[in-house]
Amino acid sequence: MSGFRILVGCKRVIDYAVKVRVKPDKTGVVTEGVKHSMNPFDEIAVEEAVRMKEKKLASEIIAVSCGPQQCQETLRTALAMGVDRAIHVITEPKEYESMQPIHVSKILSKIATEEKADLVIVGKQAIDDDCNQTGQMTASLLDWPQATFASKIEKSNGDLSVMREIDGGLETIKVKVPAVLTSDLRLNEPRYATLPNIMKAKKKPLVTKKPSDYGVDITPRQEIVSVEDPPVRQAGQKVESVEELVTKLKEAGLV
Amino acid sequence: MNIFKLCQTCSGTVLRRCIQTSSTRHVELTSVRYPDVKRGNYGSVRDSDLATFERLLPGRVLTDSLDGYNTDWLKTCRGASQVVLRPKSTEEVSAILKYCNEKKLAVVPQGGNTGLVGGSVSVFDEIVISTQLMNNIISLDEISGTLVCQAGCVLASLEDYLSNHKLTIPVDLGAKGSCHIGGNVATNAGGVRLLRYGSLHGNVLGLEAVLANGEVVDCLSTLRKDNTGYDLKQLFIGSEGTLGIITAVSLNCPQKPEAVSVAFLGCESFQSVLDIFKESRQKLGEVLSAFEFMDSQTMTVAKENLKLRSPIEDYPFYVLIETSGSNGSHDEEKLSQFLEHVMGTGIVQDGTVATEPTKIQNIWSMRERIAEGLMHDGYCYKYDVSLPLQSFYGLVEAMRERMGTMVTRVIGYGHVGDGNLHLNLTSPEYSTEVMDKIEPFLYDWVANHKGSISAEHGLGFKKKNFIYHSKSKSAVRLMKDIKHTFDPNMILNPYKVLPDF
């Protein structure tokens, strides 16, 4: 019995620990010279795919990243974690700024078909735009079932049993393969890539493609009007007693 | 275990029930735990003194809820200060000290209270002079990288401020979120960047200090080179608050590196650690910015007490290497070649390397949070020694063999790149029996191997009586002469640094 072929989406985002700054012209945030890394939820997706391969549930893992040249670093990290090969769909830095989940999901679904993938796993959302759309759109384009916010994935007689984190608690669903899964925080804790694997990763295949190779038009469909800092938090006031609190609330016309 | 002891801090004889615990709630009074220490011939704070202080520092005289000011970070020393003063300016510090000197009132200068040798808290009822409110940045010259600021600036805040100007502070330590730059200078703090930027003796360009009699000594130069007369600031640096209170500092700040990488490696023996060090000095050269080691027992503390996850499998020893430079691809190439070499020759068994800030922070926290992790065991006997690299780990092995099951654990880690070992032993509670078995054996061992009994933590209260293990009698005599010149009434941080004998 051969295992699943898994396609994993890896987005290159500004690192979580970096203080994000808005560009003076308010068209976006400063990315030049800023430290980037793989979207943490995508790291979890890669880790899950690698674990499935270690459990012999998967036989091949392909990582995909869309964006400028530096995305290859992100893909090398995925390869060092245990992914078998990588596809870099290259775009100009300017085009990347206006790239949206709709574009990425079109590319991912085309690659999934071309590569005959059984599973597409992506992070539930990216920490830069918080869209939470790519997984769902990809499933729709492929007309595949989707299991989003996965916190546990298990094999169940050829199908998958997925525990999802939802507002009300935890929901377990059965999903037929092929399917799209999106990873949530508690799915796993990603491994650090160790030196022997980092060195092996340098020799693993990484191909570069263009969006047009997949017949995808990445003309922007949205225009960013402005990007601003959130309003500065006003200092609070400390009061000594309940009476003082009521007085202050009355003064402010709030009661 | 409950002990009834005489309390020496009160004028009468009061029987106090002192519970010998090391938990966070109640720490034994230093004056009780060390009954041989006698209170000096100082005045006691009277209402008239409080009134004067209130006049000098309106609203900034504390007499209530002083536990935080009286207990050290390690929860091993507790003083009995009744008053905490919080000046905002050099002038206020000067006025306070002039008054205290006239009334022969003892004082203890206190910054972030993160010192590890009991130097920042009182022993009896010394008045705490806190630099908490002296946290202004005075100036920054971006071209030369010279920062001038008040002594109460928190180190992490300075780092944040400087990073906006593409600069960084030359000293970095685990306590950065709480420690004050004045305290760092007064203790000549070492830290993890000493390997790259050198000590504060080289990075402090000038300082302003107030003497015991209130006189302000202005050595706040911002010049890189100034050979005019005796370099007085060097005396204050490392004087641990016994020669004057530092009120402002002028610091030479290096460029913030564009590219930082951290490698965490596992190896089989301490000899491997030394081999890796030699290789990294040769192959990483000028981009090497930190070289730390941990033994497996230290990793156990990180895993068990702090629930941190090791990036690699278990090994007898671990090495953390940091490189910083102005060119990412240049540094990555160097690091890549270095790692291939050490893996290839087998001196490194496994490792991971990171360039992303989040991953770098995670790896560093395994090393920087160890002191915090040790506190979970109960009481920590903390030692910080300099040793020749040949005998470096031998001390850890000797202590492990000597103490056996008397202690919970014996761990060794630290700035091996500087020849500085942090040796820690823990037990659930403080035990005189354990302490007597550790000291003076440990200090004798260090002296026999020509090391220093305190590499960077200083002498404070806990280590002053062992100064002769590392300094000659003539040197200590000269130190006492200097102390007498600077502070004839001995009001500045008494019972610290210099021994009575």
Side-chain angles (χ1 to χ4, degrees):
Chain A
M1 187 196 63
S2 68
F4 297 129
R5 179 172 290 127
I6 307 181
L7 189 69
V8 185
C10 307
K11 189 179 183 188
R12 178 178 177 264
V13 297
I14 294 179
D15 186 272
Y16 179 72
V18 169
K19 193 172 170 195
V20 177
R21 261 170 251 275
V22 177
K23 281 200 275 206
D25 62 6
K26 296 200 177 176
T27 57
V29 297
V30 179
T31 53
E32 188 73 38
V34 170
K35 279 281 172 193
H36 285 63
S37 55
M38 192 191 302
N39 180 35
F41 293 107
D42 295 340
E43 258 186 333
I44 294 173
V46 171
E47 175 66 25
E48 195 62 20
V50 174
R51 287 189 192 188
M52 284 172 85
K53 186 158 179 233
E54 285 167 349
K55 279 187 249 178
K56 307 251 192 294
L57 293 172
S59 55
E60 196 189 17
I61 314 170
I62 308 160
V64 179
S65 191
C66 304
Q69 181 63 27
Q70 299 96 319
C71 289
Q72 298 205 0
E73 288 161 23
T74 312
L75 289 169
R76 287 281 167 222
T77 307
L79 291 167
M81 283 172 74
V83 161
D84 297 297
R85 53 190 174 89
I87 301 173
H88 173 209
V89 183
I90 193 164
T91 68
E92 289 298 308
K94 260 256 150 283
E95 295 174 313
Y96 186 58
E97 275 168 35
S98 57
M99 210 172 178
Q100 288 285 304
I102 184 73
H103 305 121
V104 176
S105 51
K106 283 181 178 173
I107 294 171
L108 283 181
S109 54
K110 282 276 164 31
I111 298 178
T113 311
E114 211 174 271
E115 297 287 345
K116 297 193 181 47
D118 301 304
L119 287 176
V120 173
I121 315 182
V122 294
K124 69 171 179 181
Q125 66 199 61
I127 61 169
D128 52 6
D129 57 24
D130 281 343
C131 281
N132 184 0
Q133 296 168 4
T134 304
Q136 293 88 333
M137 285 180 172
T138 308
S140 174
L141 288 166
L142 287 166
D143 197 23
W144 285 5
Q146 59 184 257
T148 52
F149 318 118
S151 64
K152 204 176 175 104
I153 302 172
E154 281 171 328
K155 195 142 184 242
S156 165
N157 299 329
D159 296 328
L160 291 177
S161 169
V162 180
M163 187 183 296
R164 307 176 58 228
E165 296 202 9
I166 59 173
D167 286 346
L170 296 168
E171 177 193 67
T172 306
I173 59 173
K174 235 218 218 77
V175 183
K176 280 196 180 324
V177 172
V180 174
L181 311 172
T182 76
S183 58
D184 209 324
L185 196 64
R186 274 158 284 269
L187 180 59
N188 61 51
E189 222 185 312
R191 66 194 61 195
Y192 284 82
T194 54
L195 291 175
N197 292 324
I198 293 172
M199 288 180 215
K200 268 189 236 160
K202 293 189 187 158
K203 303 201 182 80
K204 288 185 180 174
L206 192 160
V207 297
T208 308
K209 299 272 203 183
K210 296 192 296 293
S212 53
D213 292 341
Y214 297 104
V216 176
D217 176 10
I218 58 167
T219 311
R221 294 156 67 111
Q222 288 180 4
E223 182 196 331
I224 294 175
V225 175
S226 84
V227 177
E228 291 169 14
D229 277 301
V232 176
R233 218 180 130 188
Q234 298 300 322
Q237 281 183 50
K238 263 176 129 167
V239 293
E240 296 297 312
S241 66
V242 175
E243 289 76 15
E244 201 188 332
L245 174 65
V246 175
T247 312
K248 285 221 150 59
L249 288 173
K250 282 193 177 150
E251 279 170 20
L254 294 166
V255 291
Chain B
M1 205 161 78
N2 299 333
I3 299 175
F4 288 78
K5 282 255 166 85
L6 283 164
C7 225
Q8 291 163 286
T9 55
C10 315
S11 49
T13 310
V14 176
L15 281 170
R16 267 233 179 94
R17 192 162 160 242
C18 293
I19 303 161
Q20 207 172 31
T21 95
S22 58
S23 76
T24 51
R25 298 306 140 218
H26 197 111
V27 180
E28 189 174 42
L29 283 170
T30 303
S31 52
V32 168
R33 183 171 284 171
Y34 302 88
D36 294 336
V37 181
K38 301 277 175 275
R39 187 181 183 280
N41 198 7
Y42 301 108
S44 297
V45 176
R46 282 184 249 267
D47 285 339
S48 52
D49 301 318
L50 285 175
T52 308
F53 293 139
E54 187 62 42
R55 190 174 40 82
L56 292 171
L57 316 172
R60 290 175 280 125
V61 177
L62 301 178
T63 49
D64 245 350
S65 310
L66 304 182
D67 271 347
Y69 297 93
N70 269 322
T71 318
D72 75 333
W73 186 85
L74 275 181
K75 314 242 178 283
T76 58
C77 292
R78 186 159 73 97
S81 301
Q82 307 292 311
V83 187
V84 171
L85 303 177
R86 309 204 302 158
K88 277 188 178 165
S89 67
T90 308
E91 291 69 36
E92 286 179 354
V93 175
S94 171
I96 297 168
L97 283 180
K98 184 162 187 288
Y99 182 81
C100 289
N101 193 38
E102 280 163 14
K103 303 283 180 188
K104 295 210 183 14
L105 292 168
V107 304
V108 52
Q110 188 180 93
N113 197 8
T114 56
L116 301 171
V117 287
S120 52
V121 293
S122 61
V123 177
F124 296 99
D125 57 340
E126 301 91 280
I127 297 167
V128 175
I129 300 181
S130 167
T131 51
Q132 277 175 335
L133 300 180
M134 297 177 61
N135 55 8
N136 288 325
I137 290 171
I138 299 170
S139 71
L140 174 68
D141 178 339
E142 286 189 56
I143 299 178
S144 62
T146 308
L147 171 76
V148 183
C149 63
Q150 282 189 305
C153 292
V154 173
L155 202 62
S157 313
L158 291 177
E159 176 70 14
D160 278 342
Y161 172 77
L162 288 169
S163 66
N164 290 334
H165 300 270
K166 296 210 193 314
L167 295 166
T168 187
I169 30 150
V171 64
D172 190 18
L173 48 157
K176 62 191 129 191
S178 312
C179 61
H180 295 187
I181 186 67
N184 293 142
V185 172
T187 55
N188 189 27
V192 297
R193 288 185 188 163
L194 193 136
L195 185 82
R196 168 70 162 262
Y197 299 120
S199 90
L200 282 171
H201 280 293
N203 289 309
V204 171
L205 299 177
L207 53 79
E208 176 193 71
V210 182
L211 297 179
N213 63 4
E215 191 182 334
V216 178
V217 178
D218 179 6
C219 294
L220 201 54
S221 161
T222 53
L223 303 170
R224 195 78 172 76
K225 298 164 89 168
D226 180 15
N227 280 353
T228 51
Y230 303 150
D231 196 4
L232 290 178
K233 65 177 187 287
Q234 300 300 352
L235 274 175
F236 289 104
I237 300 170
S239 63
E240 304 185 49
T242 58
L243 295 180
I245 297 187
I246 297 171
T247 48
V249 174
S250 158
L251 210 54
N252 183 30
C253 301
Q255 287 296 124
K256 190 167 177 73
E258 293 284 324
V260 177
S261 295
V262 170
F264 192 76
L265 312 172
C267 59
E268 287 299 315
S269 65
F270 188 71
Q271 185 56 45
S272 310
V273 173
L274 297 180
D275 293 336
I276 299 168
F277 183 50
K278 185 149 176 248
E279 290 295 324
S280 61
R281 274 173 45 130
Q282 285 177 354
K283 297 207 163 28
L284 297 173
E286 72 284 1
V287 301
L288 184 63
S289 57
F291 194 95
E292 302 281 314
F293 96 106
M294 289 168 42
D295 60 14
S296 62
Q297 291 85 342
T298 309
M299 181 57 90
T300 307
V301 172
K303 283 172 151 175
E304 284 178 9
N305 292 7
L306 297 171
K307 309 283 181 262
L308 295 174
R309 190 177 55 125
S310 169
I312 56 179
E313 298 289 316
D314 293 333
Y315 290 95
F317 289 91
Y318 304 89
V319 166
L320 190 160
I321 297 176
E322 185 190 78
T323 64
S324 349
S326 52
N327 187 320
S329 39
H330 167 263
D331 288 4
E332 262 177 66
E333 169 118 11
K334 267 179 131 114
L335 190 54
S336 210
Q337 282 180 8
F338 163 75
L339 290 171
E340 267 182 53
H341 175 78
V342 291
M343 286 284 298
T345 51
I347 50 176
V348 167
Q349 304 306 310
D350 197 7
T352 187
V353 71
T355 50
E356 306 97 326
T358 305
K359 289 215 168 64
I360 289 177
Q361 271 179 23
N362 288 343
I363 295 175
W364 263 116
S365 63
M366 273 191 311
R367 160 66 183 88
E368 287 188 319
R369 292 182 60 195
I370 295 300
E372 177 201 330
L374 288 164
M375 303 288 282
H376 293 233
D377 283 353
Y379 186 90
C380 180
Y381 308 84
K382 189 172 279 292
Y383 298 92
D384 155 61
V385 300
S386 277
L387 282 170
L389 290 175
Q390 263 42 54
S391 31
F392 202 82
Y393 199 68
L395 179 58
V396 183
E397 288 165 337
M399 293 312 296
R400 214 166 260 152
E401 200 189 307
R402 181 176 171 85
M403 304 307 293
T405 50
M406 276 179 83
V407 289
T408 309
R409 64 181 103 234
V410 180
I411 74 171
Y413 64 96
H415 320 291
V416 63
D418 305 328
N420 181 188
L421 171 71
H422 287 319
L423 203 168
N424 288 262
L425 308 92
T426 56
S427 61
E429 291 179 346
Y430 176 75
S431 153
T432 327
E433 209 194 328
V434 170
M435 184 59 111
D436 289 344
K437 194 130 200 227
I438 299 174
E439 297 179 13
F441 175 83
L442 189 147
Y443 293 134
D444 292 343
W445 201 101
V446 173
N448 287 336
H449 290 81
K450 311 238 184 312
S452 162
I453 55 134
S454 186
E456 58 179 3
H457 291 174
L459 295 172
F461 173 77
K462 295 224 201 110
K463 300 187 186 177
K464 63 173 193 185
N465 290 334
F466 297 96
I467 192 174
Y468 294 108
H469 277 70
S470 298
K471 286 283 187 313
S472 66
K473 288 217 164 46
S474 56
V476 179
R477 229 177 300 132
L478 195 51
M479 290 183 209
K480 292 188 177 186
D481 286 345
I482 294 171
K483 167 70 173 173
H484 194 76
T485 306
F486 277 65
D487 180 18
N489 290 329
M490 311 280 274
I491 62 159
L492 292 174
N493 218 4
Y495 323 111
K496 315 272 173 65
V497 183
L498 296 176
D500 296 327
F501 47 94

